[in-house]
């Protein structure tokens, strides 16, 4: 069948054919690329499966399941046209990135928002880094201060600057960052995803394609083959991704606790009468306020607090310069890394303990990557290199200069080093900055959970989009209040800054190590850079992070075990959801209705066909779901037109609107049954209400049917000279947003040659429509058939659209293992019962809904 909105072509010489009555015109795209093509593929990929009806003899034996196991070879494609090219040709002004072509004033505003959203976490690290370090390795001389300073400076250079800013930020997925964005990037290049409802056609979405460099291509293909053929490696990769995401969520809990507690703790310096319990109470009040304003969105809050954080960084630099000039400029020799060696030589085991505190200077590095969806790579890189990093270094240099002359101030070195007259203004700015820092990982947590939900690894939750312009800026109410509750538990149960700092290090290092491993796979599989560089990256940074991790794990019994338990709980939730969803989908695939049964039922489906359109929602991307048989046996009648709608999220950030819908005809034409796959990326927003969605759906299916008729006419004209041709391939078509129809390849569809031999008659409703239509002798049979079917669709639409929702639940068989029964019957069932149902996402009034439940034994 032809497809509406098929993506970029995989043929060696794709061309655009615009059908407008005047003829065909072609235009080449400007680039060619490497793509993988199945060995058995013809020039045009065949997407049909045996469950979708097609009476052409040469397609009778096609099996969709074989598409995933065919051998692939690398070919160089010629110039091609894709949906972005079409939009550029047809729409005034090509679509641009959200952050391109801003004026100078808008760029300044964006820079302030970047400070307020991305750099709050790393920016407040001077509040607590030295105090935690020196609590584990007390100062015994000036060399200890200089050694600790040298360790902090090089940690800042190695992890936030070299690893994240210069390397990891480039491993983004079309502007999306975070653990799941890396996983999505890898899944798009190799078939390693355990998500069950992926189709070969997903790889044809224009943003789904990747350029594959020729350098070291053989090694990349071997790695790809190994990953695709090993189920163990696929599961291990998923476990790593889920573990990293659980650590990000844990980081979203401990970051507010650490930042606010350390800032409020400055009161003990300014007011002697303040006790520890009072600091905890004030911190709790600040945290409640912080999470309450989260709903106002990233843009509004980021713009409001961005200038405050700019003042904070300037204050850090100013205090640092003041202390350097006043106390001791000799601390500048800490840039010599030999002082790190001397520090470990002097303190041995204590220096190793202090590593956990040293890492706190790099906290927030992962936030730069996870919050990438809110801003551009260049804005984050430039802001960090030219503002954030110099100010941080000056701040640490100033604290070290103060400690050389005042070693007794090691408990709160930042607040003690503030000049007397500036204490309260700086204290106020520090608390504002701490509140901003707390938001940094919270927004990163929202982003990661949205990505994991879209990829089937987290229960569906209500997601609020806080910006009309920037669709990546989101707020998840349930997660927001859940993080607040856990954060308050951490603050009240672990009231020591040192213990919270240790928990902070565990969460931060956990996600850092997962990022290192995933970026290494990206380097090998996608970037295909020199193996020496890859090995140097993974050995150096993974070894460095494991060293830090060994330090924080040694102190896990201090109370930071709470964060580990929380991360394990989040990991289990995601893994159980993924496992249960996968079992449910696989069971539905096994129990789907066969086409033989559909043919035996006849065009009336063994029941009465009432006027109207029935949208049957299900999770199957192909085949007739078993729940449809439940509808046939339960309902007294079924609609005259049935559309199986599968809303499927594919692992790309955004799917262009012109590629949104994929249509196929199910069963013979007289059945009036279609399949529609509505594809969304994990960054896409389903903004349309049900009326808008229905309108788009009907318009698209009309275009699909018109395209079918056009292809038949063109093919019948071509067949005058090629009557005996038997090896005709399918074409793929593209419907542009303005309604223009494009053919991406030839030869065209040849499936209706045997329609006259079809023994199944038209449904009674369609016969009535056809009888009502006047017959114009000047109109050809093809045009008359087209108008009859379009009229049938319009009458069905006028009769009403009903949403038929099938709720399929799963239960473990009686002979299953106890663990499986526990996981499926209780844990997964609990998650499904309490997650956001598909009906909520549809925004459909109850009067248009019809639901049937079904239980599968797995």
């Amino acid at each position: 069948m032809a497809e509406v909105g098929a993506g970029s072509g995989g043929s060696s010489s794709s061309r655009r054919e615009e059908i407008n009555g005047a003829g065909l015109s072609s235009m080449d795209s400007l680039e060619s690329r490497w793509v993988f093509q199945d060995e058995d593929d013809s020039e045009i990929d065949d997407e049909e499966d045996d469950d979708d009806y097609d009476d052409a003899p040469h397609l009778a034996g096609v099996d969709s399941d074989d598409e995933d196991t065919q051998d692939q070879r690398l070919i160089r494609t010629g110039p091609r046209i894709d949906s972005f090219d079409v939009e550029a040709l047809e729409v005034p002004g090509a679509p641009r990135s959200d952050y391109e072509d801003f004026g100078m004033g808008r760029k300044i505003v964006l820079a302030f928002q970047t400070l307020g959203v991305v750099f709050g976490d790393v920016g407040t690290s001077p509040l607590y880094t030295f105090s935690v370090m020196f609590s584990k390795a007390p100062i015994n001389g000036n060399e200890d201060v200089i050694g600790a300073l040298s360790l902090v400076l090089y940690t800042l250079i190695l992890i936030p600057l070299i690893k994240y800013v210069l390397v990891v930020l480039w491993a983004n997925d079309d502007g999306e960052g975070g653990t799941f964005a890396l996983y999505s990037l890898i899944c798009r290049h190799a078939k390693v995803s355990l998500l069950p409802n992926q189709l070969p056609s997903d790889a044809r979405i224009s943003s789904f394609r990747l350029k594959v460099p020729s350098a070291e291509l053989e090694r990349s293909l071997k790695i790809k083959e190994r990953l695709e053929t090993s189920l163990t490696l696929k599961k291990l990769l998923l476990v790593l991704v889920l573990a990293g995401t659980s650590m990000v969520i844990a980081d979203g809990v401990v970051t507010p606790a650490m930042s606010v507690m350390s800032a409020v703790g400055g009161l003990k310096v300014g007011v002697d009468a303040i006790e520890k319990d009072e600091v905890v109470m004030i911190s709790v009040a600040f945290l409640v306020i912080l999470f309450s304003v989260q709903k106002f969105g990233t843009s509004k809050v980021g713009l409001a607090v961005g200038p405050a954080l700019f003042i904070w960084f300037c204050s850090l630099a100013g205090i640092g310069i003041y202390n350097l000039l006043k106390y001791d400029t000799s601390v500048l020799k800490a840039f010599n890394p030999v002082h790190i060696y001397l520090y470990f030589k002097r303190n041995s085991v204590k220096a190793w303990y202090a590593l956990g505190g040293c890492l706190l200077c790099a906290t927030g590095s992962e936030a730069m990557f996870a919050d990438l969806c809110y801003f551009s790579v260049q804005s984050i890189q430039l802001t960090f290199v030219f503002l954030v990093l110099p100010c941080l270094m000056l701040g640490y240099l100033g604290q070290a200069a103060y400690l050389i002359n005042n070693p007794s101030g090691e408990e709160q070195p930042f607040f003690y080093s503030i000049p007397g007259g500036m204490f309260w203004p700086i204290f106020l700015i520090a608390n504002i900055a701490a509140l901003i820092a707390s938001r940094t990982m919270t927004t990163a947590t929202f982003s990661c959970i949205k990505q994991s939900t879209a990829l089937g690894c987290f229960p569906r939750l209500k997601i609020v989009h806080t910006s009309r312009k920037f669709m990546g800026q989101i707020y998840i109410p349930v997660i927001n209040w859940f993080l607040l509750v856990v954060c308050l538990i951490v603050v009240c149960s672990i009231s020591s800054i040192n213990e919270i700092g240790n928990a902070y290090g565990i969460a931060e290092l956990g996600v850092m190590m997962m990022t290192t491993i995933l970026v290494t796979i990206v380097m090998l599989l996608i970037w295909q850079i020199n193996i020496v560089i890859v090995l140097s990256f993974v050995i150096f940074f993974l070894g460095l992070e494991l060293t830090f991790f060994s330090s924080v794990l040694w102190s896990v019994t201090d109370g930071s075990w709470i964060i580990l338990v929380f991360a394990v709980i989040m990991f289990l939730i995601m893994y159980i959801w993924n496992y249960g969803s996968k079992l449910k989908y696989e069971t539905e695939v096994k129990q789907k209705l066969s086409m033989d049964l559909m043919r035996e039922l006849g065009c009336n489906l063994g029941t009465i066909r009432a006027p109207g359109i029935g949208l049957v929602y299900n999770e199957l991307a192909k085949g007739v779901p078993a729940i449809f048989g439940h509808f046939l046996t339960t309902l007294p009648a079924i609609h005259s037109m049935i559309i199986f709608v599968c809303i499927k999220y594919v692992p790309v950030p955004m799917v262009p609107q012109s590629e949104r819908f994929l249509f196929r005809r199910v069963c013979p034409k007289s059945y009036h049954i279609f399949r529609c796959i509505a594809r969304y990326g994990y960054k896409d927003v389903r903004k349309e209400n049900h009326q808008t969605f229905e309108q788009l759906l009907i318009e698209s299916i009309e275009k699909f049917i018109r395209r079918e008729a056009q292809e038949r006419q063109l093919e019948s004209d071509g067949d005058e000279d090629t009557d005996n041709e038997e090896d005709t391939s399918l074409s793929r078509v593209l419907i542009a947003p303005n309604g223009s129809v494009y053919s991406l390849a030839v030869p065209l569809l040849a499936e209706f040659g045997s329609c006259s031999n079809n023994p199944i008659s038209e449904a009674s409703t369609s016969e009535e429509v056809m009888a009502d239509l006047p017959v114009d002798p000047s109109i050809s049979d093809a045009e008359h058939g087209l108008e009859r079917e379009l009229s049938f669709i319009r009458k069905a639409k006028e009769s009403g659209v009903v949403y038929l929702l099938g709720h399929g639940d799963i239960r473990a068989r009686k002979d299953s293992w106890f663990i499986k029964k526990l996981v499926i019957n209780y844990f997964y069932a609990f998650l499904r019962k309490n997650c956001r149902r598909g009906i909520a996402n549809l925004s459909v009034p109850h009067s248009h809904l019809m639901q049937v439940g079904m239980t599968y034994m797995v």
Side-chain angles (χ1 to χ4, degrees), residues 197-198 454-455 647-651 678-682 684 686:
N197 61 341
Q198 300 303 309
L455 294 179
I647 295 181
K648 187 162 74 73
Y649 288 91
V650 292
R679 298 180 290 183
Y680 291 83
Y682 57 74
D684 275 319
R686 292 196 56 206

Side-chain angles (χ1 to χ4, degrees), residues 593 597 601 604-608 625-638 852-854:
L593 302 182
L597 175 61
L601 290 175
N604 287 325
L605 300 176
T607 183
I608 301 172
I627 198 74
F628 184 63
H630 220 38
F631 279 114
L632 294 178
T633 57
T634 304
L635 303 178
I638 199 70
V852 172
M854 191 170 183

Side-chain angles (χ1 to χ4, degrees), residues 216-464:
E216 300 188 329
L217 186 58
E218 184 178 354
R219 186 191 70 225
S220 174
L221 292 178
K222 289 181 179 178
I223 294 172
K224 177 178 181 291
E225 181 181 4
R226 178 63 176 160
L227 285 173
E228 290 179 346
T229 56
S230 175
L231 181 61
T232 301
L233 289 179
K234 291 180 182 180
K235 290 183 177 180
L236 180 60
L237 184 61
L238 179 63
V239 166
L240 289 176
V241 171
L242 297 183
T245 306
S246 65
M247 287 296 183
V248 170
I249 300 173
D251 215 351
V253 169
V254 74
T255 297
M258 185 68 182
S259 300
V260 173
M261 283 282 291
S262 58
V264 176
L267 279 174
K268 292 190 291 186
V269 177
V271 181
D272 296 333
I274 291 291
E275 299 293 334
K276 183 178 179 180
D277 292 342
E278 294 170 331
V279 169
V280 171
M281 292 177 61
I282 297 173
S283 299
V284 168
F286 277 10
L287 288 172
V288 172
I289 295 173
L290 167 71
F291 283 94
S292 298
V293 302
Q294 194 76 36
K295 63 182 178 181
F296 293 109
T298 302
S299 292
K300 298 183 182 67
V301 179
L303 183 60
V305 301
L309 205 61
F310 177 75
I311 296 173
W312 164 252
F313 279 112
C314 292
S315 301
L316 275 180
I319 295 172
I321 293 172
Y322 171 82
N323 288 328
L324 273 174
L325 297 177
K326 180 179 180 180
Y327 294 109
D328 196 346
T329 58
S330 65
V331 294
L332 293 173
K333 62 184 180 181
F335 282 102
N336 184 350
V338 73
H339 290 284
I340 297 177
Y341 166 76
L342 296 176
Y343 179 69
F344 276 91
K345 185 178 180 180
R346 284 167 57 91
N347 294 280
S348 61
V349 177
K350 290 183 179 180
W352 178 64
Y353 287 154
L355 280 177
C358 174
L359 176 75
L360 298 180
C361 72
T363 54
S365 301
E366 186 65 28
M368 287 190 289
F369 185 48
D371 283 331
L372 189 58
C373 61
Y374 298 98
F375 304 99
S376 64
V377 174
Q378 289 78 10
S379 64
I380 294 177
Q381 289 176 325
L382 292 175
T383 306
F384 183 82
V385 172
F386 293 105
L387 175 63
V388 175
L389 184 61
C391 292
L392 287 175
M393 286 186 166
L394 285 171
Y396 285 115
L397 287 167
Q399 289 186 43
Y402 173 83
L403 288 173
I404 284 181
N405 287 270
N406 304 277
S408 59
E410 62 182 18
E411 183 180 351
Q412 289 278 4
F414 173 78
F415 288 107
Y416 280 118
S417 64
I418 298 174
M422 296 295 295
F423 179 84
W424 289 111
I426 297 298
F427 172 80
L428 178 62
I429 296 172
N431 277 271
I432 295 175
L435 292 174
I436 298 169
S438 303
R439 295 192 69 257
T440 302
M441 282 311 300
T442 307
T443 53
T445 301
F446 292 160
S447 178
C448 285
I449 288 178
K450 181 178 184 290
Q451 293 173 13
S452 60
T453 301
L455 294 179
C457 295
F458 204 91
R460 288 186 298 266
L461 300 171
K462 180 181 179 181
I463 297 177
V464 179

